[in-house]
Amino acid sequence: MALKLYGAPMSTCTSRVLTCLHEKDLDFELVLVDLFAGEHKQPPFLVKNPFGQIPALEDDDLTVFESRAITSYVAEKFKETGYDLTRHQNIKEAALVKVWTEVESQQFHPAIAPIIFQFFVAPLQGNSPDQTIIDANLEKLGKVLDIYEAKLTSTKYLAGDFYSLADLHHLPYAYYLMKTPAASVVNERPHVKAWWEDISTRPAFKKVAEGMNFGEK
């Protein structure tokens, strides 16, 4: 049975998983969930994720939800397939991948998510972006990226001189950020900018980015 991913290409969380699946060169079926129609809050999907959030991945009799849990599962199960996203053959490098995936989740994401919400989601709800919220979180994000800038002076990627889940997990939110005036927070940091230009032009993500048109069905 092929892997079956339930989600929407424009979704940051779905695109995170899609990028991982393409990096692993896996066959899968994407089952579209219509967010505008509220399908993610209906019983057929709630069976897969009781929290009503996309995506969810089915692999035979196993269902996994939460995008970072899915990418970890896929990268571990198919570690010998496609690109090695976890550095499973080197315990020290693998540990650093886990460190920086946690940094993305605990430091980067909380700062960038409200910015993306204001620029892209608020208008869909009939509201104007709240510049106060944007500015406050840009300050937080800038402090995070200052640490990234320092780290990336010594290694090409966050966990080392190798691309990994630690980098991949940043792609969806950073992609949308770079479509806004707030892109300067990346562009003004040369090592962060070079890192972004590198990871965002990988073939796996370029495939996914084609469907990342927020606000369009």
Side-chain angles (χ1 to χ4, degrees):
M1 178 180 177
L3 296 169
K4 189 175 291 188
L5 179 66
Y6 295 82
M10 71 174 185
S11 152
T12 51
C13 292
T14 301
S15 59
R16 183 177 289 124
V17 176
L18 286 170
T19 304
C20 179
L21 291 168
H22 285 304
E23 286 285 1
K24 301 305 289 182
D25 198 24
L26 296 171
D27 292 326
F28 64 93
E29 177 185 355
L30 175 61
V31 181
L32 296 177
V33 178
D34 191 337
L35 300 178
F36 295 95
E39 289 182 357
H40 56 306
K41 301 295 185 181
Q42 299 303 312
F45 184 77
L46 290 174
V47 172
K48 308 178 195 309
N49 182 351
F51 296 100
Q53 297 174 329
I54 59 172
L57 180 79
E58 287 184 348
D59 184 13
D60 293 325
D61 61 348
L62 175 68
T63 300
V64 185
F65 56 88
E66 296 292 344
S67 64
R68 295 172 185 81
I70 298 172
T71 59
S72 178
Y73 170 74
V74 169
E76 291 287 345
K77 178 174 180 179
F78 301 100
K79 59 187 177 183
E80 303 295 344
T81 303
Y83 188 89
D84 179 10
L85 294 168
T86 59
R87 307 300 287 185
H88 66 277
Q89 294 183 339
N90 185 312
I91 191 169
K92 291 183 179 180
E93 291 180 349
L96 291 174
V97 172
K98 291 177 180 178
V99 167
W100 284 94
T101 55
E102 283 295 307
V103 170
E104 183 277 328
S105 174
Q106 301 300 319
Q107 305 294 333
F108 178 84
H109 180 263
I112 198 172
I115 300 170
I116 301 308
F117 183 92
Q118 290 302 319
F119 276 119
F120 293 94
V121 181
L124 294 178
Q125 298 176 336
N127 300 314
S128 299
D130 188 325
Q131 193 63 45
T132 301
I133 294 175
I134 292 171
D135 290 344
N137 284 282
L138 272 175
E139 182 178 356
K140 295 175 184 177
L141 182 60
K143 291 178 180 178
V144 174
L145 293 183
D146 283 343
I147 295 173
Y148 282 33
E149 179 70 12
K151 178 66 172 68
L152 292 167
T153 62
S154 60
T155 59
K156 187 174 182 180
Y157 301 100
L158 289 174
D161 290 321
F162 49 84
Y163 178 77
S164 71
L165 281 183
D167 308 290
L168 184 155
H169 282 184
H170 290 78
L171 282 164
Y173 275 94
Y175 176 79
Y176 284 123
L177 180 77
M178 298 306 289
K179 291 179 171 291
T180 75
S184 58
V185 76
V186 169
N187 290 330
E188 65 192 13
R189 293 168 171 83
H191 292 88
V192 173
K193 181 181 180 182
W195 167 73
W196 164 249
E197 291 175 346
D198 183 322
I199 67 174
S200 63
T201 54
R202 290 179 66 85
F205 182 67
K206 289 176 71 174
K207 289 181 184 178
V208 176
E210 292 175 1
M212 294 178 68
N213 299 306
F214 208 103
E216 299 179 13
K217 292 188 179 181

